[in-house]
Amino acid sequence: MPESATDVQIEPAERHHAGELAFLAAQDTGPRPPGWALTPRAVVTFIAGSGGERLRLPAPVDGLPDTLEIPAKFVGDRSLVERCVVTLAGERGLLLVGEPGTAKSMLSELLAAAVGGTGALTVQGTAGTSEEHLRYGWNYALLLAQGPVPEALAPSPVLTAMRTGRIARVEEVTRCLPEVQDALVSILSDRRMSVPELGDEGTFHARPGFNVIATANLRDRGVSEMSAALKRRFNFEVVPPIADPAAEVALVRDRAGDALARHGHALPVDDAVLEALVTAFRDLRSGTSAEGWPVERPTTVLSTAEAVGVTTSLGLQSAYLGVTDPLSLLPGYLLGAVRKDDPEDQGRLLAYWDSTIRHRAENGARMWRRLYELRHVLGE
């Protein structure tokens, strides 16, 4: 029985946006690459939005509206999305790189859902990821009972994607050991995988629609450097932080609002608090305040995803513990975010409070005066 929306904490993209995907499949009848569920143009529209335009079906379809506006799901340059889509239509993999928290994983999932119908064929790269996570393993009970037969094979998500013509995702590929990463070289080059134990039945060819999306964050460069051979099999796309402060505030509001909605609550954090949070994150992340004053950057990455996490925590504490002033909680949660990588970053946050926050407080903005009054929460 299919799970309802209340049965899972986070719905997969293909289920959460099932109505939009079905509409776009019927609306854009242009040419599609072999094996794709949507046209490349429809994939871009699904991710980057229809720009406020209501799209219209060429003919009525049962169960679908005649017109629909597609909202943007990825806040970024539309041309970046277009290049990603073009890469996936070709014969190279797509590697999304950028600072942590720049929505690389979300973009990867949305692309996979739109192109192949699912973003679930995913390998999470870690120091413990082995080659069989990218290739195949065995059901050892069946292997012992029946020998190396196809039924005993335990395919990896990558092999499943090859056999079904879908997109495989490899998250944080540079966290994998180099010899594990290089299992992707032959997969991307030959578009087939051999299982010698199965004899004549042991060669699996990639079906049309197969490709690989990998992600890597720039902070992990050098952890397990990719080989030159593997780099040549990917087109690299850098996913930058959100440039527009208003767009970042809107994204934080929407994502945190979705998280609170899963708890049955509205987001009880107003835009003034969100603007203060996002502004502080942007100042500390860039090393320059919105006014142009220098700011000492902490070691940790204060990403948009981290801002969503802090906002969600503010909302949950307000909803469940009856806090009526979410702004009073902000310094404590901000300190927790800043201290993640280096305890000495507490001093950098205090210096930011004593310079930038103090200057803003002196200029008369009530919110910043209130924040400066909460300096004691940060310690000494």
Side-chain angles (χ1 to χ4, degrees), residues 227-276:
S227 68
L230 183 55
K231 288 179 180 178
R232 287 194 297 270
R233 271 70 180 180
F234 282 104
N235 282 347
F236 285 57
E237 290 292 344
V238 177
V239 182
I242 298 172
D244 180 13
E248 187 167 9
V249 169
L251 180 64
V252 170
R253 183 195 310 112
D254 291 346
R255 296 290 181 267
D258 288 345
L260 266 294
R262 291 193 287 271
H263 289 260
H265 295 280
L267 180 66
V269 182
D270 64 29
D271 279 359
V273 177
L274 287 177
E275 288 170 10

Side-chain angles (χ1 to χ4, degrees), residues 142-190:
L142 283 176
L143 186 65
L144 291 173
Q146 302 180 28
V149 295
E151 294 75 18
L153 190 69
S156 70
V158 178
L159 179 52
T160 299
M162 293 179 70
R163 294 164 71 176
T164 59
R166 294 180 173 179
I167 301 293
R169 300 167 56 212
V170 182
E171 293 291 307
E172 302 289 1
V173 66
T174 53
R175 291 188 183 275
C176 302
L177 295 173
E179 58 269 26
V180 175
Q181 295 177 25
D182 278 350
L184 292 170
V185 172
S186 61
I187 292 170
L188 289 169
S189 296
D190 303 331

Side-chain angles (χ1 to χ4, degrees), residues 80-142:
L80 167 66
V81 179
E82 292 173 348
R83 291 194 301 273
C84 291
V85 171
V86 170
T87 291
L88 293 175
E91 296 184 353
R92 284 191 177 189
L94 172 64
L95 180 62
L96 301 173
V97 300
E99 291 288 340
T102 49
K104 299 181 297 297
S105 295
M106 183 186 75
L107 178 56
S108 169
E109 182 184 13
L110 291 170
L111 286 165
V115 170
T118 180
L121 299 174
T122 306
V123 177
Q124 178 60 55
T126 69
T129 301
S130 65
E131 188 173 326
E132 70 180 29
H133 290 110
L134 297 176
R135 291 175 59 82
Y136 60 89
W138 295 97
N139 179 324
Y140 284 101
L142 283 176

Side-chain angles (χ1 to χ4, degrees), residues 193-231:
M193 190 182 299
S194 296
V195 182
E197 297 89 341
L198 295 181
D200 293 340
E201 297 180 279
T203 299
F204 300 98
H205 295 270
R207 295 187 61 184
F210 167 73
N211 213 328
V212 174
I213 304 175
T215 65
N217 79 67
L218 295 175
R219 292 294 178 105
D220 284 345
R221 278 192 170 177
V223 172
S224 293
E225 183 67 24
M226 294 173 67
S227 68
L230 183 55
K231 288 179 180 178

